[in-house]
Structures are given as C-alpha cells and as structure tokens.
Amino acid sequence: MFPDRPAACGRSHSFCRNPGALLLVLFVAFAATAAFAQEKIIKSHGFSEFGELKYPEGFAHFDYVNPQAPKGGELSYAAQGTFDSFNPFTRQGRAGVRAGEQYESLLVPSYDEPASYYGLVAESVEYPESQDWVIFNLRPEARFSDGTPITADDVVFSHEILLDQGLQSYAEAVRKRIPKAEALGPHRVKFHFASDIPRRALISQVGGTPIFSRAWFESDPENRRLDKPRMEPGIGSAPYVLDSYDVNRRIVYKRNPDYWGDDINVNVGRHNYDRIRIEYFSDSIAAMEAFKAGEYTFRQETNSKSWATAYDFPAVKQGHVVKHELEDGNVPDATGFIMNLDRPQFQDPRVREAVQLAFNFEWTNESLQYGLFQQRHSFWEGTPLEATGVPEGRELEILQSLGDKIDPELLNSEPVRAHESDASRQNDRRNLRRAMKLLDEAGWPVGEDGLRRNDEGQTLRIAFLSDDPVLDRIAMPFVDNLRSMGIDARYERIDDAQYTLRRRERDFDMISGVYRSSLQPSTGLYQQFGSEAAAFSVFNPSGVHGPAIEALIDNIVAATDGDELTANVRALDRVLRARRFMVPTWYLGKYLVAYWDMYEHPDPLPPYALGIEDLWWIDADKAAALKSSGALR
C-alpha cells in the first residue's frame, strides 16, 4: 500500500515497519479533530461562573428595579479629601469620585445573583464548553458620549492599554492568562485564554473590562496616557458625563441626554437622576455640619459616634431627614490594622501575634463605638466560605495536599480567631502579659529605658499611618497599649496626598485597611494575595503571599463546582488567619444611611448592592415640599 515508505522514512521508524500503525495514528488524529470541531459552542445573553443564569434571554428588567421609577432631580453626597485627576487608572495622584463610572463594560453584574453577568455593551457571548476563548457580539447601537460607535477595535485597544499602562498588579495577573484579543469584525471581538490555566472567571473578567475610545486616546497619546493624572475626562459611554468641577470642592455629573442604552433591559429602572453632585470636605465634622444644613442630601454613615449622637438636629426631629439601617448581603469587608510584612520588625509571627493582642475590640466597641459592631474573625465572615472548627472532609484533604507548605498544626486545630478582651478597661492586662511574653521569646526584651530592643540594640518601632481624623480616637488607645508593652509606637496622621503616595509605595509600618471579599472569589485573589504581585499590588497592603496561598488560589480559580470552591476558600481563610498579618477589627453587616426625605428605593433592595446611584430615585413632590417649607434651599 505504501511501496516507497521504507525507503523514504528509513527502516528504523516504527511507522515504516508497520504501516497499520500510521493508519491508526491518522485515524486517532482525525477523530480528535472531529471531536474538537464538534465541541459545543454556547451562545448566551449572559454568563454565570456557576450554575444557570436567573434571568432568561429577553427578560424585561431585573426583579429588583422599579421599572416605573421617575427620572429627574439630583443626588448629592459628600466626599472627604482632595482630587487632582479625572483619570481613575493613574498610578499617581488621586482621582475624583465617580471618575471610573464614565466607562461601561461588555457585561454588567446582577445584584441578586453572585457571579452572574448580563449583556450591556455586548448583546451576547459565545464560548466553547472548554472556555478556551470567548466572543462578544457588541450592540450596534452602542455609542460613546461623543456619538461615535463602540467597536471591537475599541475593546481590543482597552484591553491592551490596560496591560501596557494600567496598574502593574492587574497587568501581571492578566497578561499570562489572556494572551490575545482580536477584532473579528466591527461588532465582534474575541479573547483567547492561555491553555495551561483555570478559566472559570476569565469570561466575567474580560466582560468587566472598561471600554475606552481608541480614537480619543490616540489623538493625543502623550497627554492622554492611562498611567498619568489629568484633569481632562476621557470619553466613555455611560449614562452620566462630567458637567463641572471646582478642584477639591465639588464635582457635578449630568445625565447624557443622548445616552445610547436607556431602553435596554439591564438598564430599565436604573440611572434615575438628572444630576449627581459630590461635595468635598476636609474633615468629617465639616461634612456633617453641611449635611445638617442641607448642602448635600444623602449620607451613608461610616462613623459610629456620628450615627449614635449626631442625628439629633431639628431636621431629624421634624421628619425632614430620615435614618435607616438596611441589610447588606455582601461578604463583610475584611477590615483591620494591617502590618507591612516587608518591615523587619514584623518578620517573626510572635511579634505579629503580640501586636494583635494589644487591641481591645470589646472596650473599643462599647466605649467608643456605641456597641454597634461585631468582632471580625474571618476573611469571609458569616458566610459558608468561612473556616470553622477543626478541618474535615474535602477541606482537610486540600490542606494535607499542601504538605510542608503549611504548619502541620493547621490540620488538627481550629482557625485563628480574634482574642477576647475585657470590655471594662482599655488595657486588658491578661492579654498584654501574653503579648509581652511573646515579645520576650521573639528576642525583643525590655531595656533599661523601658523600650524593647533586639540583640543589635535596635528598638521595636511601629508607626501607625493614617489620613483620617475619625480614626484618631480608635487607633490611639491601641497605640497606647503598644507603648505600655515597651514598643516604640506612634500614631502619624498625614494629609491625603502623602498618605495615598506612601500607601501605594508601601512606605508604612501599619495602616487601617481592607481586603475586599466576595461570595465567588476568583482571579482577583492573585492581586490580593498572589506571589507575583506581592511586591507592588495596591490591593495587598501587607504584601502577604506564599506557596500555600498561591496553590490555594490556583485551586479556587480552577474550581468547577460550588463544593470545591467552598472547601478551597475555607482552607485559604484558615491559612491567611494563621499568618496574623492583620489585627481584625469589626464589621457591621448593614448599611447606615440618612437622607433628606425625598429619596425612594425599591423594596426590597437586592442582597448584593445598596444601589444609591443607580436604583434609587427622587420623589419630586417630596422634594418640592422640602423646598417650599424652607427646610431645603
């Protein structure tokens, strides 16, 4: 059948000695090609990382909106600090509030489903079951605010400029996972995913990429870089555009009268204000006084003292201002006092545990926060993802697979929990004695001058950095407790600009900070806890990382069902808590809001968003009544 094959191939080749083997290989290759060609291609109006989408194709609107919500009026609220840019992606300076909201994305999240997304700029998505790639079909009617169409070229450009000029931690996390984006036509764009990585969240990740106008950037590439601050706002496609601003005093956005997407289903009942105004204040006291005077009309309270004591002014008593506590179904933010693990004084875990023991949550909550808060223990507090008890089942198997990457005590002990303290006194002597013993064991004994020093004579120095006056009364008792143990501790409050710079450069010992969590954690964990980004990620202020953490993140991203995701997140929670790089502080589990009585909202609100800017609306009659009564100007 192959008379010339032996001479052509050389008799040492097995195919030449056995032509049937070649036929078998050709058959297998053909079968594999046919199977690949027959791989099911999914085409959908949205994407869910797990399970089915709640809303079917062609749905009229999200369940949690009021489709008859009236349009009009103004939302106004406060911001504290300064701004020097309208570029939210800059690596320098501080962007104005809502600067990033001018850019839309291909998909938009649902507020009543975890990790489900529906078409916004894209009307549909296509992808194989393997999720090797994804194609987005853009809505032909989608337009930027200057009236130019959004094209696949704009989407590809946006992806590439974020890799080139965006945050380094983002670029490092994305570049190796999404090696290529290409325009297949004016309204059709394809993203290719790397072959050796998990892909569960990559479709939602690229679906959430902000879309920039390529023409706008390329018309002045030197002055319109993504990594530099600029006061000129970019061209986006969102419902609101910048109207006016007064640097460090006020920003006003107005509804774009030519917004392209008012009538698509994911926008019905949303974006109801004509204007959104943000008033800037130098401190929280000035901001509160301005709210009392009606200079702005909506306030999401974050200060427990204000919530408990500051709302006794006449407008509240007269019913012009209302207070509400609304349920928050999101994972509580993992807030706390964060230690910079790059600092030499925090290398020993015994020092970190001693620092934790110096904080008295119970006294702080009762004496300074009016008992409003609960103690936080977990990075996924109060959810099924929280590690509890001694590990068992699949979680135990996962931890065992990490071998010597973890402390073996994690396999047979409960997860680290925040310590309990005496609520009757600021300095719990029992905990401070434990802490001082740990410092002695770690090689930081107390010297003749009362300060702790190591063998080289260096003092154990910890500077707590802050830009928030509200934090003063919370952090200073903690610092006092550190001092009482012989630590050279100090509290340094600096201005907003300095703080932003030093935080980005990780030039601090300790700060008050947050690690944000979700019910469907995925690739964002690489920016928060991954080894490659640990040295520079703004999302990882402590710099914590390690082989065990990296392996668990890989497992989480690779998880294809909820049980596997849950087991791996619990294991990660357990490992992170054992590292003791954060003094866990508190969480609330609800929104505290106060507003002049002219706002309305859907009832009930969705579990995963308060939606002040895009779900609420103004009752025109109530607004008119407030003004006619003289309560509001």
Side-chain angles (χ1 to χ4, degrees), residues 496-552:
D496 301 324
Q498 285 181 304
Y499 181 83
T500 298
L501 179 62
R502 290 184 61 178
R503 188 191 181 287
R504 282 178 179 166
E505 295 182 351
R506 205 175 290 154
D507 180 17
F508 60 83
D509 296 337
M510 290 189 70
I511 60 171
S512 176
V514 60
Y515 283 85
R516 303 197 184 280
S517 304
S518 77
L519 292 171
Q520 299 281 0
S522 189
T523 54
L525 293 173
Y526 289 114
Q527 291 181 269
Q528 291 183 304
F529 307 114
S531 297
E532 289 185 11
F536 48 77
S537 174
V538 297
F539 303 104
N540 186 2
S542 73
V544 65
H545 66 285
I549 294 173
E550 193 77 13
L552 290 170

Short mmCIF file of all heavy atoms in Angstrom, two decimals, residues 496-552:
data_model
loop_
_atom_site.label_atom_id
_atom_site.label_comp_id
_atom_site.label_asym_id
_atom_site.label_seq_id
_atom_site.Cartn_x
_atom_site.Cartn_y
_atom_site.Cartn_z
N ASP A 496 -3.99 63.75 52.81
CA ASP A 496 -4.48 62.73 51.88
C ASP A 496 -3.47 62.38 50.80
O ASP A 496 -3.26 61.21 50.47
CB ASP A 496 -5.78 63.21 51.22
CG ASP A 496 -6.86 63.52 52.23
OD1 ASP A 496 -6.93 62.82 53.24
OD2 ASP A 496 -7.64 64.46 52.00
N ALA A 497 -2.86 63.42 50.20
CA ALA A 497 -1.94 63.18 49.09
C ALA A 497 -0.73 62.38 49.54
O ALA A 497 -0.31 61.43 48.85
CB ALA A 497 -1.52 64.52 48.47
N GLN A 498 -0.15 62.74 50.70
CA GLN A 498 1.01 62.00 51.21
C GLN A 498 0.62 60.56 51.52
O GLN A 498 1.38 59.62 51.24
CB GLN A 498 1.53 62.67 52.48
CG GLN A 498 2.31 63.95 52.27
CD GLN A 498 2.80 64.49 53.61
OE1 GLN A 498 2.03 64.73 54.53
NE2 GLN A 498 4.09 64.67 53.72
N TYR A 499 -0.54 60.40 52.13
CA TYR A 499 -0.97 59.07 52.50
C TYR A 499 -1.15 58.19 51.27
O TYR A 499 -0.72 57.02 51.25
CB TYR A 499 -2.27 59.14 53.29
CG TYR A 499 -2.78 57.79 53.75
CD1 TYR A 499 -2.29 57.20 54.90
CD2 TYR A 499 -3.75 57.10 53.01
CE1 TYR A 499 -2.75 55.96 55.32
CE2 TYR A 499 -4.21 55.86 53.43
CZ TYR A 499 -3.71 55.30 54.59
OH TYR A 499 -4.16 54.06 54.99
N THR A 500 -1.79 58.73 50.24
CA THR A 500 -2.00 57.96 49.01
C THR A 500 -0.68 57.50 48.43
O THR A 500 -0.52 56.34 48.03
CB THR A 500 -2.77 58.81 47.98
OG1 THR A 500 -4.06 59.14 48.51
CG2 THR A 500 -2.96 58.03 46.69
N LEU A 501 0.30 58.41 48.38
CA LEU A 501 1.61 58.07 47.83
C LEU A 501 2.30 57.01 48.67
O LEU A 501 2.82 56.01 48.14
CB LEU A 501 2.47 59.33 47.73
CG LEU A 501 3.89 59.13 47.19
CD1 LEU A 501 3.85 58.60 45.76
CD2 LEU A 501 4.68 60.43 47.25
N ARG A 502 2.32 57.19 49.97
CA ARG A 502 3.03 56.24 50.83
C ARG A 502 2.35 54.88 50.86
O ARG A 502 3.01 53.85 50.96
CB ARG A 502 3.17 56.83 52.23
CG ARG A 502 4.15 58.00 52.29
CD ARG A 502 4.35 58.51 53.70
NE ARG A 502 4.90 57.50 54.59
CZ ARG A 502 5.20 57.74 55.86
NH1 ARG A 502 5.00 58.94 56.38
NH2 ARG A 502 5.71 56.78 56.62
N ARG A 503 1.04 54.87 50.76
CA ARG A 503 0.35 53.59 50.72
C ARG A 503 0.67 52.86 49.44
O ARG A 503 0.90 51.63 49.44
CB ARG A 503 -1.16 53.79 50.85
CG ARG A 503 -1.92 52.47 51.02
CD ARG A 503 -3.42 52.66 50.88
NE ARG A 503 -4.14 51.41 51.07
CZ ARG A 503 -4.18 50.41 50.20
NH1 ARG A 503 -3.52 50.49 49.05
NH2 ARG A 503 -4.87 49.31 50.46
N ARG A 504 0.67 53.57 48.31
CA ARG A 504 1.00 52.93 47.04
C ARG A 504 2.41 52.37 47.03
O ARG A 504 2.67 51.30 46.48
CB ARG A 504 0.84 53.94 45.90
CG ARG A 504 -0.60 54.19 45.48
CD ARG A 504 -0.66 55.23 44.40
NE ARG A 504 -2.03 55.46 43.96
CZ ARG A 504 -2.41 56.48 43.23
NH1 ARG A 504 -1.52 57.40 42.87
NH2 ARG A 504 -3.67 56.62 42.86
N GLU A 505 3.33 53.10 47.67
CA GLU A 505 4.73 52.66 47.69
C GLU A 505 5.02 51.73 48.86
O GLU A 505 6.15 51.31 49.06
CB GLU A 505 5.64 53.88 47.73
CG GLU A 505 5.54 54.74 46.48
CD GLU A 505 6.47 55.94 46.51
OE1 GLU A 505 7.07 56.21 47.58
OE2 GLU A 505 6.61 56.60 45.46
N ARG A 506 4.00 51.42 49.64
CA ARG A 506 4.09 50.59 50.83
C ARG A 506 5.18 51.12 51.78
O ARG A 506 5.99 50.36 52.32
CB ARG A 506 4.32 49.12 50.48
CG ARG A 506 3.83 48.17 51.59
CD ARG A 506 3.94 46.72 51.23
NE ARG A 506 2.99 46.36 50.20
CZ ARG A 506 3.15 45.36 49.34
NH1 ARG A 506 4.23 44.62 49.41
NH2 ARG A 506 2.24 45.10 48.43
N ASP A 507 5.14 52.40 51.99
CA ASP A 507 6.08 53.07 52.88
C ASP A 507 5.38 53.34 54.21
O ASP A 507 5.03 54.48 54.55
CB ASP A 507 6.57 54.37 52.23
CG ASP A 507 7.56 55.12 53.11
OD1 ASP A 507 8.11 54.49 54.04
OD2 ASP A 507 7.78 56.32 52.87
N PHE A 508 5.14 52.29 54.97
CA PHE A 508 4.47 52.40 56.27
C PHE A 508 4.76 51.14 57.07
O PHE A 508 5.16 50.10 56.52
CB PHE A 508 2.96 52.60 56.10
CG PHE A 508 2.27 51.47 55.38
CD1 PHE A 508 1.90 50.31 56.06
CD2 PHE A 508 2.02 51.54 54.02
CE1 PHE A 508 1.29 49.25 55.39
CE2 PHE A 508 1.40 50.49 53.34
CZ PHE A 508 1.04 49.34 54.03
N ASP A 509 4.55 51.24 58.38
CA ASP A 509 4.61 50.06 59.24
C ASP A 509 3.22 49.44 59.37
O ASP A 509 3.04 48.25 59.15
CB ASP A 509 5.14 50.43 60.63
CG ASP A 509 6.56 50.92 60.61
OD1 ASP A 509 7.29 50.59 59.64
OD2 ASP A 509 6.95 51.66 61.54
N MET A 510 2.26 50.29 59.75
CA MET A 510 0.88 49.81 59.91
C MET A 510 -0.08 50.87 59.38
O MET A 510 0.19 52.07 59.47
CB MET A 510 0.54 49.52 61.37
CG MET A 510 1.24 48.32 61.96
SD MET A 510 0.58 47.91 63.62
CE MET A 510 -1.05 47.30 63.19
N ILE A 511 -1.20 50.41 58.84
CA ILE A 511 -2.29 51.29 58.44
C ILE A 511 -3.61 50.59 58.77
O ILE A 511 -3.65 49.38 59.00
CB ILE A 511 -2.26 51.63 56.93
CG1 ILE A 511 -2.37 50.35 56.09
CG2 ILE A 511 -1.04 52.44 56.56
CD1 ILE A 511 -2.58 50.60 54.60
N SER A 512 -4.68 51.36 58.74
CA SER A 512 -6.01 50.78 58.77
C SER A 512 -6.40 50.51 57.32
O SER A 512 -6.34 51.41 56.47
CB SER A 512 -7.01 51.74 59.41
OG SER A 512 -8.31 51.22 59.36
N GLY A 513 -6.76 49.28 57.02
CA GLY A 513 -7.03 48.93 55.63
C GLY A 513 -8.05 47.83 55.49
O GLY A 513 -8.68 47.40 56.47
N VAL A 514 -8.19 47.36 54.25
CA VAL A 514 -9.25 46.40 53.97
C VAL A 514 -8.81 45.46 52.85
O VAL A 514 -8.09 45.87 51.93
CB VAL A 514 -10.55 47.14 53.58
CG1 VAL A 514 -10.33 48.00 52.35
CG2 VAL A 514 -11.69 46.17 53.34
N TYR A 515 -9.22 44.22 52.96
CA TYR A 515 -9.15 43.24 51.88
C TYR A 515 -10.60 42.90 51.54
O TYR A 515 -11.32 42.35 52.36
CB TYR A 515 -8.40 41.98 52.30
CG TYR A 515 -6.90 42.12 52.33
CD1 TYR A 515 -6.26 42.64 53.45
CD2 TYR A 515 -6.13 41.76 51.24
CE1 TYR A 515 -4.88 42.78 53.49
CE2 TYR A 515 -4.75 41.89 51.26
CZ TYR A 515 -4.13 42.40 52.39
OH TYR A 515 -2.76 42.54 52.40
N ARG A 516 -11.01 43.24 50.33
CA ARG A 516 -12.40 43.02 49.94
C ARG A 516 -12.59 41.56 49.50
O ARG A 516 -11.75 40.99 48.81
CB ARG A 516 -12.81 43.99 48.84
CG ARG A 516 -12.62 45.44 49.26
CD ARG A 516 -13.39 46.41 48.39
NE ARG A 516 -13.08 47.79 48.77
CZ ARG A 516 -13.62 48.41 49.81
NH1 ARG A 516 -14.49 47.78 50.57
NH2 ARG A 516 -13.30 49.67 50.09
N SER A 517 -13.71 41.00 49.91
CA SER A 517 -14.01 39.59 49.61
C SER A 517 -15.32 39.49 48.85
O SER A 517 -16.10 40.44 48.80
CB SER A 517 -14.10 38.79 50.91
OG SER A 517 -12.91 38.92 51.68
N SER A 518 -15.55 38.33 48.26
CA SER A 518 -16.80 38.09 47.55
C SER A 518 -17.24 36.66 47.77
O SER A 518 -16.47 35.81 48.24
CB SER A 518 -16.63 38.36 46.05
OG SER A 518 -15.94 37.29 45.42
N LEU A 519 -18.49 36.39 47.42
CA LEU A 519 -19.02 35.04 47.55
C LEU A 519 -18.51 34.10 46.47
O LEU A 519 -18.64 32.89 46.58
CB LEU A 519 -20.56 35.08 47.53
CG LEU A 519 -21.22 35.73 48.74
CD1 LEU A 519 -22.71 35.93 48.49
CD2 LEU A 519 -20.99 34.90 50.00
N GLN A 520 -17.95 34.68 45.40
CA GLN A 520 -17.40 33.87 44.32
C GLN A 520 -15.98 34.37 44.01
O GLN A 520 -15.71 34.87 42.94
CB GLN A 520 -18.27 33.98 43.06
CG GLN A 520 -19.70 33.50 43.24
CD GLN A 520 -19.81 31.99 43.19
OE1 GLN A 520 -18.81 31.29 43.01
NE2 GLN A 520 -21.00 31.47 43.33
N PRO A 521 -15.04 34.22 44.96
CA PRO A 521 -13.69 34.71 44.73
C PRO A 521 -13.03 34.00 43.56
O PRO A 521 -13.27 32.81 43.33
CB PRO A 521 -12.98 34.41 46.05
CG PRO A 521 -13.76 33.30 46.66
CD PRO A 521 -15.18 33.52 46.25
N SER A 522 -12.18 34.73 42.85
CA SER A 522 -11.55 34.12 41.67
C SER A 522 -10.21 34.80 41.40
O SER A 522 -9.42 35.01 42.32
CB SER A 522 -12.49 34.22 40.47
OG SER A 522 -11.98 33.48 39.39
N THR A 523 -9.98 35.21 40.15
CA THR A 523 -8.66 35.70 39.74
C THR A 523 -8.22 36.95 40.49
O THR A 523 -7.02 37.22 40.58
CB THR A 523 -8.65 35.99 38.24
OG1 THR A 523 -9.73 36.88 37.91
CG2 THR A 523 -8.80 34.71 37.43
N GLY A 524 -9.16 37.71 41.05
CA GLY A 524 -8.77 38.88 41.83
C GLY A 524 -7.91 38.52 43.03
O GLY A 524 -7.17 39.37 43.55
N LEU A 525 -7.98 37.27 43.49
CA LEU A 525 -7.15 36.84 44.61
C LEU A 525 -5.67 36.93 44.29
O LEU A 525 -4.85 37.10 45.20
CB LEU A 525 -7.51 35.40 45.00
CG LEU A 525 -8.90 35.18 45.59
CD1 LEU A 525 -9.17 33.69 45.76
CD2 LEU A 525 -9.06 35.90 46.92
N TYR A 526 -5.30 36.82 43.02
CA TYR A 526 -3.89 36.94 42.66
C TYR A 526 -3.37 38.34 42.95
O TYR A 526 -2.21 38.52 43.33
CB TYR A 526 -3.68 36.60 41.18
CG TYR A 526 -3.84 35.15 40.84
CD1 TYR A 526 -4.89 34.72 40.02
CD2 TYR A 526 -2.96 34.19 41.33
CE1 TYR A 526 -5.05 33.37 39.70
CE2 TYR A 526 -3.11 32.84 41.02
CZ TYR A 526 -4.15 32.44 40.20
OH TYR A 526 -4.31 31.11 39.89
N GLN A 527 -4.22 39.37 42.75
CA GLN A 527 -3.81 40.72 43.05
C GLN A 527 -3.78 40.99 44.55
O GLN A 527 -3.02 41.81 45.03
CB GLN A 527 -4.74 41.73 42.37
CG GLN A 527 -4.60 41.76 40.85
CD GLN A 527 -5.52 42.78 40.22
OE1 GLN A 527 -6.65 42.46 39.86
NE2 GLN A 527 -5.05 44.00 40.09
N GLN A 528 -4.62 40.26 45.30
CA GLN A 528 -4.67 40.46 46.74
C GLN A 528 -3.62 39.66 47.50
O GLN A 528 -3.03 40.17 48.46
CB GLN A 528 -6.05 40.08 47.26
CG GLN A 528 -7.17 41.00 46.84
CD GLN A 528 -8.49 40.61 47.45
OE1 GLN A 528 -8.93 39.47 47.31
NE2 GLN A 528 -9.11 41.53 48.15
N PHE A 529 -3.38 38.43 47.08
CA PHE A 529 -2.52 37.54 47.85
C PHE A 529 -1.50 36.77 47.01
O PHE A 529 -0.77 35.94 47.54
CB PHE A 529 -3.38 36.52 48.61
CG PHE A 529 -4.46 37.12 49.46
CD1 PHE A 529 -5.80 36.92 49.14
CD2 PHE A 529 -4.16 37.89 50.56
CE1 PHE A 529 -6.82 37.46 49.92
CE2 PHE A 529 -5.16 38.45 51.34
CZ PHE A 529 -6.50 38.23 51.02
N GLY A 530 -1.45 37.02 45.71
CA GLY A 530 -0.57 36.25 44.84
C GLY A 530 0.90 36.64 44.98
O GLY A 530 1.24 37.79 45.31
N SER A 531 1.77 35.70 44.72
CA SER A 531 3.21 35.92 44.89
C SER A 531 3.77 36.90 43.87
O SER A 531 4.63 37.74 44.20
CB SER A 531 3.96 34.59 44.79
OG SER A 531 3.57 33.72 45.84
N GLU A 532 3.32 36.82 42.61
CA GLU A 532 3.88 37.68 41.57
C GLU A 532 3.61 39.15 41.82
O GLU A 532 4.43 40.01 41.50
CB GLU A 532 3.34 37.27 40.19
CG GLU A 532 3.87 35.94 39.69
CD GLU A 532 3.40 35.65 38.27
OE1 GLU A 532 2.86 36.57 37.63
OE2 GLU A 532 3.59 34.51 37.81
N ALA A 533 2.44 39.46 42.37
CA ALA A 533 2.06 40.86 42.57
C ALA A 533 2.36 41.35 43.99
O ALA A 533 2.10 42.52 44.29
CB ALA A 533 0.57 41.04 42.27
N ALA A 534 2.92 40.50 44.84
CA ALA A 534 3.05 40.85 46.26
C ALA A 534 3.89 42.09 46.49
O ALA A 534 3.66 42.85 47.42
CB ALA A 534 3.64 39.67 47.03
N ALA A 535 4.88 42.33 45.63
CA ALA A 535 5.81 43.43 45.85
C ALA A 535 5.22 44.79 45.49
O ALA A 535 5.74 45.81 45.94
CB ALA A 535 7.09 43.20 45.06
N PHE A 536 4.14 44.82 44.69
CA PHE A 536 3.69 46.12 44.19
C PHE A 536 2.17 46.28 44.14
O PHE A 536 1.68 47.37 43.82
CB PHE A 536 4.23 46.36 42.78
CG PHE A 536 4.05 45.20 41.84
CD1 PHE A 536 2.83 44.93 41.26
CD2 PHE A 536 5.12 44.36 41.55
CE1 PHE A 536 2.66 43.85 40.41
CE2 PHE A 536 4.97 43.28 40.70
CZ PHE A 536 3.73 43.03 40.12
N SER A 537 1.40 45.27 44.46
CA SER A 537 -0.05 45.38 44.31
C SER A 537 -0.65 46.34 45.34
O SER A 537 -0.43 46.19 46.55
CB SER A 537 -0.71 44.02 44.45
OG SER A 537 -2.12 44.14 44.43
N VAL A 538 -1.44 47.30 44.87
CA VAL A 538 -2.14 48.21 45.79
C VAL A 538 -3.27 47.50 46.51
O VAL A 538 -3.83 48.02 47.47
CB VAL A 538 -2.68 49.45 45.05
CG1 VAL A 538 -1.55 50.26 44.46
CG2 VAL A 538 -3.68 49.05 43.96
N PHE A 539 -3.63 46.31 46.05
CA PHE A 539 -4.71 45.54 46.67
C PHE A 539 -4.19 44.60 47.75
O PHE A 539 -4.95 43.87 48.35
CB PHE A 539 -5.46 44.75 45.60
CG PHE A 539 -6.02 45.60 44.50
CD1 PHE A 539 -5.41 45.63 43.26
CD2 PHE A 539 -7.12 46.41 44.72
CE1 PHE A 539 -5.91 46.42 42.24
CE2 PHE A 539 -7.62 47.22 43.72
CZ PHE A 539 -7.02 47.23 42.46
N ASN A 540 -2.88 44.62 47.99
CA ASN A 540 -2.27 43.77 49.01
C ASN A 540 -1.36 44.62 49.88
O ASN A 540 -0.14 44.55 49.78
CB ASN A 540 -1.48 42.64 48.34
CG ASN A 540 -0.94 41.63 49.34
OD1 ASN A 540 -1.17 41.74 50.55
ND2 ASN A 540 -0.19 40.64 48.86
N PRO A 541 -1.94 45.45 50.75
CA PRO A 541 -1.10 46.37 51.53
C PRO A 541 -0.11 45.68 52.46
O PRO A 541 0.93 46.25 52.79
CB PRO A 541 -2.13 47.21 52.31
CG PRO A 541 -3.39 46.43 52.27
CD PRO A 541 -3.37 45.67 50.99
N SER A 542 -0.41 44.47 52.91
CA SER A 542 0.53 43.77 53.79
C SER A 542 1.67 43.13 53.03
O SER A 542 2.74 42.89 53.59
CB SER A 542 -0.20 42.70 54.60
OG SER A 542 -0.53 41.59 53.77
N GLY A 543 1.44 42.79 51.75
CA GLY A 543 2.42 42.03 50.98
C GLY A 543 2.42 40.55 51.29
O GLY A 543 3.35 39.82 50.92
N VAL A 544 1.38 40.04 51.95
CA VAL A 544 1.34 38.63 52.31
C VAL A 544 1.27 37.77 51.05
O VAL A 544 0.58 38.09 50.09
CB VAL A 544 0.13 38.34 53.23
CG1 VAL A 544 -1.19 38.58 52.51
CG2 VAL A 544 0.19 36.94 53.79
N HIS A 545 1.99 36.66 51.06
CA HIS A 545 1.96 35.69 49.95
C HIS A 545 2.69 34.44 50.42
O HIS A 545 3.20 34.39 51.54
CB HIS A 545 2.62 36.26 48.69
CG HIS A 545 4.09 36.49 48.82
ND1 HIS A 545 4.62 37.55 49.53
CD2 HIS A 545 5.16 35.78 48.35
CE1 HIS A 545 5.93 37.50 49.48
NE2 HIS A 545 6.29 36.44 48.78
N GLY A 546 2.75 33.44 49.57
CA GLY A 546 3.48 32.23 49.91
C GLY A 546 3.01 31.06 49.08
O GLY A 546 1.95 31.11 48.45
N PRO A 547 3.79 29.97 49.07
CA PRO A 547 3.46 28.80 48.24
C PRO A 547 2.08 28.20 48.56
O PRO A 547 1.35 27.82 47.65
CB PRO A 547 4.57 27.80 48.57
CG PRO A 547 5.71 28.63 49.06
CD PRO A 547 5.09 29.79 49.76
N ALA A 548 1.73 28.12 49.83
CA ALA A 548 0.43 27.55 50.19
C ALA A 548 -0.70 28.44 49.71
O ALA A 548 -1.71 27.97 49.17
CB ALA A 548 0.34 27.35 51.70
N ILE A 549 -0.53 29.74 49.89
CA ILE A 549 -1.55 30.69 49.45
C ILE A 549 -1.71 30.62 47.94
O ILE A 549 -2.82 30.57 47.41
CB ILE A 549 -1.19 32.12 49.91
CG1 ILE A 549 -1.24 32.21 51.43
CG2 ILE A 549 -2.11 33.15 49.27
CD1 ILE A 549 -0.73 33.52 51.98
N GLU A 550 -0.59 30.58 47.23
CA GLU A 550 -0.63 30.53 45.77
C GLU A 550 -1.33 29.27 45.28
O GLU A 550 -2.15 29.31 44.36
CB GLU A 550 0.80 30.59 45.22
CG GLU A 550 0.89 30.85 43.73
CD GLU A 550 0.65 32.31 43.39
OE1 GLU A 550 0.67 33.16 44.29
OE2 GLU A 550 0.45 32.60 42.19
N ALA A 551 -1.01 28.13 45.90
CA ALA A 551 -1.64 26.86 45.50
C ALA A 551 -3.15 26.89 45.73
O ALA A 551 -3.92 26.41 44.90
CB ALA A 551 -1.01 25.70 46.27
N LEU A 552 -3.57 27.47 46.83
CA LEU A 552 -5.00 27.54 47.12
C LEU A 552 -5.72 28.49 46.17
O LEU A 552 -6.86 28.22 45.75
CB LEU A 552 -5.22 27.97 48.57
CG LEU A 552 -4.83 26.91 49.61
CD1 LEU A 552 -4.83 27.49 51.01
CD2 LEU A 552 -5.76 25.70 49.53
#
